[in-house]
Amino acid sequence: MRITLGGLFWLWSAPEVNAQPQGSTGLDKGSLASWQYARRSVPDITRTYEDCRRLTVTGQQVGKLQMFSNTQIDCVDGESAGLEQRWASPAASKRASSRNGVAARRNRHGDPMSKPNQASSNKPVVGVIADLKMLGHHPFHCAGNKYVVAAVDGADTFAILLPAMAGQQSIEQTLDLVDGLMFTGSPSNVEPRHYGGPSSAQGTLHDPARDATSLPLIRAAIAAGVPVFGICRGFQEINVALGGTLHQKVHEVPGMLLHREREEDPLEIQYGPAHQIAVVPGGKLESWYGKPEATVNSLHNQGVETLAPGARVEAVAPDGLVEAFSVKDASSFAFAVQWHPEWQFADNPLSVALFAAFGAACRDQQARKQGGQTRG
């Protein structure tokens, strides 16, 4: 039997089973059998499942499915690598078609989908750092869709993927190519050897190729005045690159809040409001956002232990953990946040302000490179 799910082709023969997944009423027999087959093949399939039309699997599990041409892989922070496709039921197709013209489109779980926008051949170029992940038996350079969409639609830039290939592609050419850099979240932790920390607990996921690519690139970009925006792991990378240290497990530090998500919760809960932050008066964040506090999501194990010498605190959590910082002597945008502003960014004034500021800095950098004048 061949099932086509939004451009992803899977071939299998699905045996009969008895139980239907929760919320599966009204499914045709073929769709139900397909879901049940995948459920047995990939035991940890998605925490949430709506009308059996969405399927998410972790990167390690992708190899258990037979995937053929026209495959789209989205390595999602939150914190897994995933595939997302819809069951092609008539009702779902009709609803999807009715939303195609809406400016801010989302899939069923709230992840942003790039909206149709006016084409431009002169948008600033933002390099989005990639993770190096094993999907099945092969390594892939992956970036979460939500970060790319936020760069394209939130910052109004032209996004490209930067592979984690330290030493094989020059930093100088990379900086000549881009007008800004985004260092995204990821399931992996920065290796503690980069900041003199103790060895990680057994089973901790690391990405040495990304570390080797990001850390020197961050330092070079800031020195060259190229805008840099760090999110979650990217926040931690910038701190480490500039000489700071990290807590590997914030939840085990006495007096700290629980900053990590519960993996069994649906994504809308994981990425929902978690705690307040206090915005430091007189900082860059206050100038962009204009309010003394905000409520943010929280999906991280690591956190700042010692802030890098050249960094300035921009926001803190109620337990005192640094949630945002800027780089003091940077000549352009050099900013990082511990939370995830890319998640449903268009609905959050703080996220809108952050991506607008980043986009403006990228346009200024583009103008400088082209010999134009920067805005005041």
Side-chain angles (χ1 to χ4, degrees), residues 69 76 201 218 294 302:
S69 61
V76 191
I218 287 166
Q302 295 194 126

Side-chain angles (χ1 to χ4, degrees), residues 8-25:
L8 177 60
F9 299 93
W10 293 341
L11 298 181
W12 57 60
S13 178
E16 293 295 329
V17 289
N18 297 319
Q20 294 188 16
Q22 185 176 3
S24 64
T25 57

